[in-house]
Amino acid sequence: MGEFDLISKYFVRVSPVAASVVQGPGDDCALLSPKPGMQLAISTDLLIEGRHFLSTVSPESLGHKSLAVNLSDLAACGARPVAFTLALSLPQIDEAWLEGFSRGLFALADEHDCALIGGDTTRGPLSICITVFGEVPADAALLRSGAKVGDDIYVSGTLGDARLALEIFRGTVRNAPAEVFQLARDRLERPTPRVALGQALRGIATSAIDVSDGLCGDLGHILQRSGVGAVIDTALALDLLASQSAWTRTLSGGQDATPALDWVLSGGDDYELAFTAPPTARAALMAAAQAVHTRVTRIGFIRAEPGLQLQDGEGQPVARRTASFDHFG
Ligand code: ADP
Ligand code: MG
């Protein structure tokens, strides 16, 4: 099988695509025609084996995750997914791998009506680079720079479970029950991009970011771009660990509370949304989140004093031990 057979067998599909896609794969360029009054939101993510994913991950999960991390960026801007390109570097043609990868990829793409409109395929170390294109009404995109003093801080879904899975894989956490591991692994390998929530937050949230490198670090980007500081209640944050069970509760309530809190605050790979909104918007926000069936939790507030302060349930300062992920840190 050659390059072009591979592309047409696994990545080119004859299916109806969104009206904005004028020309899909097969020509020198794809053509997009955004609807009048809309802006294109564009984001790229590169995934390298051994750095962004373990070689043990199933090809289907990898296909899902490769697109999910990109859709998560569109969600953070409040954009609706339209299309994506796929640049793939493969060590060899492995049809079982390609079949699984494309199945996972297209299952998520179809869920979001996001069409594969082109790409590039070469031989090399396994790496996957996806660029997504989304649409957002002009000047309605959610940005990192809009947080205001007094705003509430929220997080969608749950945090920390992807990191827990990684620690179990690494062998640093050994006593996790099977069902906790399964839940955590699912969160690591098959994250849910909060696409509907992102769009529902337009006009309500003042700023947003997706949590990929850890809550504290990513929230730090909002603080920096908005020129503000924040306080986070660690008691509320701990409730965000989804794999909560007798086991994690013991871990977080017992003498060693730090690992679970670190996973929540700095774990990374969560692909949830962190965002801010004024207290006057609380009811509208909760209604919007409920309408898209997504849990959101208020975990703190924005203040003028720069920096990120952690406090426990009684308002006492909590020291922060871990930094967020930085490839060159
Ligand atoms: P070029 O010569 O411009 O690099 P290619 O010969 O690499 O084009 O690709 C031929 C067509 O197949 C192009 O339209 C390209 O967008 C598409 N294509 C290549 N790889 C992929 C892929 N992995 N997924 C989807 N489309 C692809
Ligand atoms: Mg090419």
Side-chain angles (χ1 to χ4, degrees):
M1 171 179 284
E3 175 187 338
F4 299 104
D5 295 331
L6 182 163
I7 295 166
S8 59
K9 180 163 179 191
Y10 293 105
F11 297 114
V12 178
R13 301 190 312 166
V14 243
S15 57
V17 291
S20 309
V21 179
V22 179
Q23 166 75 53
D27 218 301
D28 295 306
C29 290
L31 296 173
L32 292 181
S33 189
K35 285 192 216 71
M38 303 297 265
Q39 290 174 335
L40 274 183
I42 302 165
S43 182
T44 294
D45 267 298
L46 174 62
L47 281 84
I48 308 274
E49 181 168 26
R51 184 144 285 276
H52 301 94
F53 58 90
L54 304 169
S55 48
T56 50
V57 67
S58 78
E60 186 174 358
S61 293
L62 188 58
H64 172 99
K65 185 164 179 175
S66 303
L67 183 59
V69 302
N70 281 278
L71 292 177
S72 179
D73 285 313
L74 289 184
C77 282
R80 185 179 64 82
V82 171
F84 67 106
T85 60
L86 169 67
L88 201 55
S89 161
L90 300 169
Q92 74 272 320
I93 292 181
D94 174 344
E95 292 218 50
W97 189 93
L98 282 160
E99 198 277 319
F101 179 83
S102 63
R103 185 154 27 89
L105 180 82
F106 284 121
L108 184 64
D110 291 348
E111 213 179 289
H112 294 282
D113 283 324
C114 193
L116 178 56
I117 55 168
D120 201 21
T121 309
T122 75
R123 188 189 291 270
L126 180 58
S127 76
I128 302 145
C129 182
I130 287 181
T131 300
V132 280
F133 303 84
E135 279 184 357
V136 62
D139 304 319
L142 303 173
L143 302 176
R144 298 177 180 185
S145 52
K148 300 280 183 297
V149 172
D151 279 356
D152 296 319
I153 301 171
Y154 297 85
V155 173
S156 68
T158 60
L159 294 177
D161 302 284
R163 178 56 177 274
L164 170 59
L166 198 60
E167 297 300 339
I168 295 171
F169 277 121
R170 285 172 173 165
T172 53
V173 171
R174 293 170 191 278
N175 57 345
E179 68 277 9
V180 170
F181 175 51
Q182 190 49 52
L183 194 157
R185 179 179 191 168
D186 220 49
R187 293 284 292 145
L188 174 67
E189 297 183 347
R190 304 186 60 85
T192 305
R194 300 298 180 185
V195 172
L197 179 66
Q199 292 168 80
L201 292 177
R202 288 197 310 243
I204 300 174
T206 50
S207 72
I209 190 168
D210 71 317
V211 181
S212 53
D213 294 333
L215 175 65
C216 287
D218 286 324
L219 185 60
H221 296 306
I222 286 187
L223 303 184
Q224 194 186 16
R225 295 290 293 261
S226 301
V228 294
V231 176
I232 288 183
D233 182 333
T234 56
L236 296 177
L238 255 184
D239 276 341
L240 291 170
L241 198 66
S243 53
Q244 288 223 26
S245 59
W247 179 75
T248 42
R249 283 196 185 279
T250 315
L251 198 67
S252 58
Q255 76 268 60
D256 196 5
T258 33
L261 185 59
D262 284 347
W263 302 333
V264 170
L265 294 178
S266 329
D269 255 348
D270 301 296
Y271 300 101
E272 293 295 347
L273 298 184
F275 54 96
T276 58
T280 50
R282 277 182 197 173
L285 181 83
M286 287 305 168
Q290 214 159 39
V292 295
H293 311 290
T294 308
R295 164 182 165 177
V296 299
T297 307
R298 182 156 53 89
I299 57 159
F301 60 90
I302 297 291
R303 64 179 183 181
E305 191 182 322
L308 179 57
Q309 171 75 62
L310 303 180
Q311 288 182 356
D312 64 17
E314 274 79 55
Q316 294 305 307
V318 174
R320 205 176 124 204
R321 307 186 317 153
T322 50
S324 70
F325 190 74
D326 176 343
H327 279 286
F328 297 100

